[in-house]
């Protein structure tokens, strides 16, 4: 199979692909649901039937939720946390007492041993009450604890996990002043001492949630490692566990004032020649990015759960408001445009729920290839949750801006979710590239073997084509591909899943969408050729369609389950109608994206952007915020006033045996 790097492209773009491949590692042997979708395949076994929790664990989770609900209803100071910009230590202690902070840690290490679905049910409930607290719990469980749980050895787990279950908050140190979405661009470094007993760690980390009060840090750092295959020294990322009381660790900024999730603290941490025992290495040297990406798979789900909880709070409040607020002698719910917002909130809520718990079910059963599914879960739930919140605020009007209704707090808390755990724009390019990579390489192989290369002479082209035309396997792949791309004849759509009789028409729609998505990906790849590597707007449209189709499949599977269980009542009727509206929404969004692949305003947009960029270069740096470590403008921006930002006296909790 051809390699995408063999295509004509700039050295910068080729390096980008190489770095991405190194970051992701080898392709899984079994393709997940979304990758199969790009090929035009419908892997019904991966999404049907809808995942179901073990009855015993469901009961255990229900008990935890009952205790948590009582606490959230009667004790939790959500409004005060937002106003005071601090989660009090007593709140964190109560969450430890309830078992929330250690709910996924195995029972033998003092945790509750719950699975990912249960964990997200809890995060959804917390997100319904307090976005700040949801972020605190997620940062601790999904990435802080998870790194040790998944990659720690037996001794490391025995030493650290009991503390992480009972009294230590953990932090994940990946982002840096110059490193956000570019996770591989670490500037923090570590090197082994001559005796091989320690790593010397130097660098700076930013956005370490709860870092100011954490007893354990998982730190990513670049390390020079000899490649055993080539004998050459390469820079790889290594994961180390550090503690705040190690000499040379400086937590020099505990808090920055934020628009939302105001109760969370994002610390800045410097490491000055910190001697980290070799015993504190997580996993293998040079495998730090694999650890980070694996943990982010879990973090993207819990972010989605918190988003779902907040969106549901807004949906319910705004819907009730529409029934009781009168204008022009009629309730707001009588007006069609208000009804549109009500229906949108209900539809997107049901779809978010379907996508989230399909993804957690995949994680719980340890599906091999789910990186795209978790990315889609994050993008879909953050985008749709934001839409739901916006709809709710529009219904409630000016009252939604008032703090006592708590809708505006959800609005503020929600916005960050489109940015963290991989900005949605980056995730769109990732979904496109990683989802279609194998199909694109297959198409490139056929093109290189049988296509006409204008850079080759007549004899070379004819010789190569004649030689490869005797390759039966190659020709068998080329003929249907050529018919589809050049003749516009779609391949046969996949068999639709067998679902509840009332949903069979929707199952056929799903099969058609998958077939059409694969066709349009091939068509766009042929149309744009090498340019598609940099055409992010084109990539985003294809990625969004993959997202919409996956959400359609998840929603169909969940509704199928609900119908088979014999659902009834007003809530079930609402959800069923919402699901059918969502199916129609997907087709509308899908069709618009297909039209926009070729009929769009991209060129005028690029010209307008270029003009805006040119004008920005005339604006004085001194009047604007400038990235603190900008490679071209460091230290030239306006001075930011931070005198009024509280730097709280909280300190890390580090128990005995940290070292």
């Amino acid at each position: 199979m051809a390699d995408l790097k063999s295509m004509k492209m700039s050295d910068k773009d080729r390096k980008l692909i190489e770095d991405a491949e190194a970051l992701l590692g080898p392709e899984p042997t079994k393709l997940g649901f979304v990758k199969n979708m790009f090929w035009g395949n419908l892997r019904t076994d991966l999404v049907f039937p809808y995942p179901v929790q073990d009855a015993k664990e469901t009961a255990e989770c229900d008990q935890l939720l009952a205790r948590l609900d009582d606490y959230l209803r009667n004790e939790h100071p959500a409004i005060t946390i937002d106003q005071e910009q601090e989660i009090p230590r007593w709140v964190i202690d109560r969450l430890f007492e309830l078992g929330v902070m250690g709910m996924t840690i195995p029972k033998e290490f003092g945790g509750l041993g719950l699975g990912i679905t249960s964990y997200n049910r809890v995060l959804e409930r917390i997100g319904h009450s307090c976005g700040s607290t949801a972020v605190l719990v997620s940062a601790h469980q999904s990435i802080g604890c998870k790194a040790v749980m998944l990659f720690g050895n037996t001794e490391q787990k025995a030493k650290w996990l009991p503390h992480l279950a009972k009294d230590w908050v953990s932090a994940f140190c990946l982002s840096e002043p110059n490193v956000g979405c570019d996770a591989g661009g670490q500037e923090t470094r570590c090197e082994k001492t001559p005796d091989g007993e320690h790593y010397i760690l130097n660098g700076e980390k930013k956005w370490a949630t709860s870092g100011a009060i954490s007893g354990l840090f998982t730190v990513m750092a670049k390390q020079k490692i000899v490649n055993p295959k080539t004998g050459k020294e390469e820079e790889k990322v290594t994961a180390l566990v550090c503690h705040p009381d190690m000499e040379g660790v400086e937590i020099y900024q505990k808090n920055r004032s934020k628009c939302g999730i105001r109760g969370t603290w994002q610390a800045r941490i410097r490491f000055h020649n910190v001697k980290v025992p070799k015993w504190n290495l997580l996993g293998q040297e040079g495998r730090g990015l694999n650890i980070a990406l694996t943990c982010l798979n879990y973090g993207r789900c819990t972010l989605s759960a918190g988003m779902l909880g907040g969106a549901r709070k807004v949906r319910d409040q705004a819907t009730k408001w529409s029934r009781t607020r009168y204008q022009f002698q009629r309730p707001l719910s009588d007006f069609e445009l208000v009804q549109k917002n009500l229906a949108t909130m209900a539809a997107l809520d049901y779809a978010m729920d379907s996508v989230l718990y399909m993804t957690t079910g995949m994680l719980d059963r340890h599906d091999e290839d789910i990186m795209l599914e978790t990315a889609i879960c994050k993008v879909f739930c953050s985008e749709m949750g934001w839409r739901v919140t916006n709809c709710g605020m529009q219904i409630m009007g000016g009252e939604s801006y008032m703090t006592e209704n708590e809708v505006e707090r959800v609005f503020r808390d929600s916005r960050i979710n489109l940015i963290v755990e991989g900005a949605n724009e980056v995730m769109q390019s990732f979904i496109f590239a990683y989802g279609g990579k194998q199909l694109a390489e297959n198409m490139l192989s056929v093109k290189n073997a049988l296509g006409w290369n204008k850079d080759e002479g007549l004899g070379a082209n004819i010789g190569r084509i004649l030689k490869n035309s005797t390759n039966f396997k190659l020709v068998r792949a080329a003929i249907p591909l050529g018919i589809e791309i050049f003749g516009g004849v779609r391949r046969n759509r996949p068999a639709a899943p067998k679902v509840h009789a009332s949903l069979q028409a929707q199952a056929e729609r799903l099969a058609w969408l998958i077939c059409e998505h694969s066709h349009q990906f091939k068509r766009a790849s042929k149309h744009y050729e090498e340019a598609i590597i940099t055409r992010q707007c084109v990539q985003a449209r294809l990625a969004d369609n993959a997202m919409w189709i996956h959400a359609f499949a998840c929603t169909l599977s969940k509704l199928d389950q609900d119908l088979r269980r014999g659902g009834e009542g007003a809530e079930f009727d609402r959800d069923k109608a919402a699901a059918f509206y969502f199916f129609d929404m997907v087709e509308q969004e899908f069709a618009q994206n297909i039209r926009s692949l070729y009929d769009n305003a991209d060129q005028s947009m690029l010209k307008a952007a270029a003009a805006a960029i040119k004008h920005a270069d005339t604006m004085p740096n001194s009047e604007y915020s400038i990235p603190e470590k900008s490679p071209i403008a460091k230290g030239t921006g306006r001075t930011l006033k931070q005198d009024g930002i509280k730097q709280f006296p909280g300190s890390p909790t580090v128990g005995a045996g940290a070292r």
Side-chain angles (χ1 to χ4, degrees), residues 57-76:
E57 176 161 333
T58 299
E60 291 178 1
C61 184
D62 288 345
Q63 291 175 5
L64 174 60
L65 286 171
R67 298 194 300 272
L68 177 64
D69 284 341
D70 182 71
Y71 161 75
L72 292 173
R73 189 165 44 250
N74 298 309
E75 299 180 54
H76 190 70

Side-chain angles (χ1 to χ4, degrees), residues 201-216:
L201 180 65
N202 284 282
E204 180 179 339
K205 294 296 181 178
K206 189 179 182 182
W207 307 127
T209 299
S210 305
I213 55 173
S214 292
L216 181 147

Side-chain angles (χ1 to χ4, degrees), residues 401-419:
Y401 247 56
M402 304 299 109
T403 59
E404 62 262 33
N405 290 312
E406 300 186 64
V407 172
E408 61 83 30
R409 174 157 54 83
V410 177
F411 183 81
R412 288 187 287 107
D413 288 348
S414 297
R415 187 58 183 86
I416 191 64
N417 293 321
L418 284 75
I419 300 170

